Amino acid sequence: MSIALPALAADTDSARGDPLGDLITGALTGTMPGSVEYKMKATLYHAGAKGIRALDSLGCKVVAMRTLAVDKTVIPRRTVVFIKETVGLPMPNGEKHDGYWYASDVGGAIKGNRLDLFSGQGRTSMQPLMNLNLATLSVTKVGEFKGCPPE
């Protein structure tokens, strides 16, 4: 008897660790992408907007299409999350998004089951994400990271 595992986007950031090991751990613990833990309302933010700094709340550089602002009482900072609705979106480098985001920022308006996706530099960087603005997204915690999120 064979067991079919869900297909995951290739992990190109070596900072995430061992993707196969993560998949096996996720399968054993029930925290694999696809097992939604939260339904969260999304908003977008970009560099150049009023009040947005170049560093996140950890003191790390904000990273386009990777940095996520959260309510740290719901999703702790330094949590890696999988957001299935972002899989396949175009990344600034031309690659396709794998769905992984890094909770490294907080915001005054981010309370409860809300999150803020960092799109990059300027208003035009939000264009690929506009369908997600004010949408309810499927969010799954899949791990933790140390230091700063990968760039």
Side-chain angles (χ1 to χ4, degrees), residues 43-49 52 62-69 90-93 97 101 116-130:
T43 50
L44 308 176
Y45 72 114
H46 63 86
I52 304 302
V62 290
V63 181
M65 303 286 288
R66 292 292 180 196
T67 297
L68 185 65
M91 296 286 289
N93 65 4
H97 205 289
W101 292 78
D116 215 351
L117 307 169
F118 179 70
S119 62
Q121 181 65 41
R123 257 185 108 63
T124 58
S125 70
M126 296 191 319
Q127 194 56 42
L129 295 170
M130 284 311 286

Side-chain angles (χ1 to χ4, degrees), residues 47-119:
K50 184 177 181 180
I52 304 302
R53 300 180 317 260
L55 301 178
D56 61 24
S57 66
L58 297 175
C60 301
K61 179 180 171 189
V62 290
V63 181
M65 303 286 288
R66 292 292 180 196
T67 297
L68 185 65
V70 295
D71 177 339
K72 61 186 177 184
T73 65
V74 177
I75 295 179
R77 290 182 307 163
R78 299 194 187 282
T79 299
V80 180
V81 301
F82 179 79
I83 303 174
K84 74 175 188 173
E85 291 86 354
T86 64
V87 173
L89 290 175
M91 296 286 289
N93 65 4
E95 294 179 8
K96 298 292 184 188
H97 205 289
D98 59 6
Y100 293 99
W101 292 78
Y102 300 84
S104 63
D105 208 359
V106 296
I110 307 302
K111 302 284 186 225
N113 281 358
R114 296 185 62 90
L115 49 82
D116 215 351
L117 307 169
F118 179 70
S119 62

Side-chain angles (χ1 to χ4, degrees), residues 15-31:
R16 267 204 79 273
D18 174 13
L20 183 56
D22 292 347
L23 178 62
I24 293 167
T25 301
L28 294 173
T29 63
T31 60

